[in-house]
Amino acid sequence: NEASRKESSNFKTTILEHRAQWNNLMHRMSLNNSKIAAPAKFHNFAYDPRKEASKQRKPILELVDAGIDGNLPFPPLLRPEREVDIIIACNASKSPNIDRSRSLRAAAKWAEERGMKFPPIDFDNSYSKICTVYRDENDPSCPIVIYLPLKTNPG
């Protein structure tokens, strides 16, 4: 949907325009060296300085947890251009949030606000099983969510 793409683009532009202020804020909060907020750095296996693609021209890739806001990485996976068919969501949130489906509720709300497809979720029973499959029976193009909450295996 055009509105959500524009909103995403505006957000990205705003962040990039204010990068120095963000870095300064992170430094002042002493989070720039924290394992919580600092991106993970990896050797770029596709590095080639001759390539025009921006990610291939960087020798080091910086990756940030996609679930940092909602604790599950649904936002980048639900983007229509990703054409995701199945999402396997392993939720290791602590109680009581995992019992109350906080992450699933946040993901469903996020998708609904942006007009993105998300299967119906039985929030009241999402924690009752070790593995639950959610699908939209009326829309085969809606991603299937396989949800695995952190639980003790039955004895």
Side-chain angles (χ1 to χ4, degrees), residues 5-6 14 36 41 49 68 88 97 106 117 120 135 142 144:
R5 268 188 256 131
K6 187 173 182 178
T14 300
I36 295 172
K41 296 180 181 185
I68 202 163
I88 301 172
N97 290 333
K117 295 181 179 194
R135 71 180 75 216
C142 182
I144 295 169

Side-chain angles (χ1 to χ4, degrees), residues 12 34 63 69 78 88 96 114 119 129 131 133 135 139 142 146:
K12 182 178 178 181
S34 167
L63 306 175
D69 184 36
L78 290 174
I88 301 172
R114 286 158 182 79
K129 297 179 184 174
C131 178
V133 177
R135 71 180 75 216
D139 186 356
C142 182
I146 300 172

Side-chain angles (χ1 to χ4, degrees), residues 26-42:
M26 298 259 308
H27 181 72
R28 286 186 298 153
M29 294 174 63
S30 298
L31 291 176
N32 59 329
N33 293 319
S34 167
K35 291 179 184 173
I36 295 172
K41 296 180 181 185
F42 297 93

Side-chain angles (χ1 to χ4, degrees), residues 108-147:
K109 180 180 177 189
W110 185 90
E112 181 181 5
E113 287 173 351
R114 286 158 182 79
M116 294 184 174
K117 295 181 179 194
F118 199 78
I121 305 288
D122 179 4
F123 298 114
D124 294 330
N125 294 308
S126 67
Y127 186 71
S128 64
K129 297 179 184 174
I130 290 175
C131 178
T132 308
V133 177
Y134 296 106
R135 71 180 75 216
D136 187 337
E137 299 293 340
N138 300 317
D139 186 356
S141 67
C142 182
I144 295 169
V145 172
I146 300 172
Y147 181 67

Side-chain angles (χ1 to χ4, degrees), residues 6 15 19 25 29 32 39 44 58 60 70 73 75 93 96 98 100 112 130 146 151:
K6 187 173 182 178
I15 293 298
R19 185 176 186 163
L25 175 64
M29 294 174 63
N32 59 329
N44 186 353
K58 295 182 178 189
I60 301 294
S93 301
I98 193 169
R100 297 179 184 150
E112 181 181 5
I130 290 175
I146 300 172
K151 293 181 66 106

